[in-house]
Amino acid sequence: MKNALIVGATGEVGKGITGELLAAGYRVVASSRRQESLESLLTRYPAESSLQIVQGSVEDEASASALLEAVRTKVDRLDAVIVSVNGAADMRPLVEWSSGDLLGALQQNLISHFVSAKTLIPAVADGGMYLAIGGGMADFVFPGNGHISMGQAAQRMMFRYLSNELSARPLHIRQLTIASMVNGEKKRDVAHPQWVTDTDVGQHVRAILERPDMFPDAILTLRSRKQVGKPEQKRSAEITH
Ligand SMILES: NC(=O)c1ccc[n+]([C@@H]2O[C@H](COP(=O)([O-])OP(=O)(O)OC[C@H]3O[C@@H](n4cnc5c(N)ncnc54)[C@H](OP(=O)(O)O)[C@@H]3O)[C@@H](O)[C@H]2O)c1
């Protein structure tokens, strides 16, 4: 049985990944900051003895190290680490942000990924995978979301660097940009049929974990439901490494 740590497992996207990896027979350690959300995950999978929970944060190195230490009391090997954290929405035009508030938003959306990568990549077993989830607003202007777009664009560039700088390490490093709204639990009632679902994301993540050879680029993008589980068609002039 393979072991996967999912940081942000209680989120809209994280829940879909958790469900799919459990269904695929992974032992899942689900993590986030709020214990009550983790406990509700446990009640959702009562028969799944392979789901464990660890409360913790990746906001800074000390917290992330404590989280990793707690994870190590649950599993002795990590075949996969998936990080699906997100900051608060807080939509407003960029010019209305103070520099301090903007730094806080980037702390939540970007630095949390930096801290996670720095702390958790070394914990992945040889041959395993570290996968960060990102968002398609990295490439779009969506009113009130400048802070999110900035964080997502920087996050993707950060993973280009990390995969390059750590290429000699015996693990796979990937970043998956979801270039679609996600039909997760909170948006079921308003979701458009073309949006990828949380389950779709889980299935795609599972395919990436199981067939890294079919997803060889460091930077991956899930654009549509039709693409779920399939390797990407290259677009001209797209940077993928
Ligand atoms: N939802 C969408 O429509 C959508 C679309 C495209 C891409 N995405 C991408 O998918 C990823 C996840 O988004 P989401 O919508 O699932 O977000 P979400 O629903 O807000 O979930 C975020 C998860 O991360 C946890 N978390 C946040 N900060 C943390 C920290 N410092 N340490 C540990 N856990 C932390 C949250 O739980 P706690 O608050 O309890 O810690 C929660 O489990 C993001 O990269 C986002 O850009 C989402």
Side-chain angles (χ1 to χ4, degrees), residues 129-205:
M129 182 172 291
Y130 183 95
L131 176 66
I133 305 293
M137 273 193 284
D139 297 308
F140 292 101
V141 172
F142 194 82
N145 276 294
H147 60 301
I148 306 273
S149 293
M150 287 167 68
Q152 292 182 352
Q155 182 205 330
R156 196 167 53 190
M157 205 61 206
M158 182 174 75
F159 278 99
R160 285 201 176 104
Y161 269 86
L162 288 171
S163 69
N164 186 286
E165 290 174 359
L166 304 178
S167 59
R169 300 231 184 144
L171 82 158
H172 307 281
I173 298 174
R174 302 282 187 273
Q175 194 257 16
L176 174 66
T177 295
I178 306 168
S180 161
M181 290 292 288
V182 173
N183 173 352
E185 281 182 359
K186 291 185 185 156
K187 300 207 184 93
R188 291 268 188 262
D189 295 345
V190 295
H192 189 280
Q194 284 182 348
W195 293 4
V196 298
T197 67
D198 45 357
T199 305
D200 291 337
V201 177
Q203 286 172 358
H204 200 63
V205 164

Side-chain angles (χ1 to χ4, degrees), residues 5 7 29 31 54-58 60-75 77-78 81 115-124:
L5 166 64
V7 182
V29 182
S31 186
V54 166
Q55 186 267 332
S57 173
V58 289
D60 55 41
E61 282 92 338
S63 310
S65 297
L67 188 159
L68 178 58
E69 212 169 296
V71 169
R72 284 191 165 131
T73 66
K74 307 283 184 188
V75 288
R77 173 189 163 93
L78 282 174
V81 172
V115 167
S116 299
K118 208 175 140 188
T119 311
L120 300 175
I121 284 175
V124 176

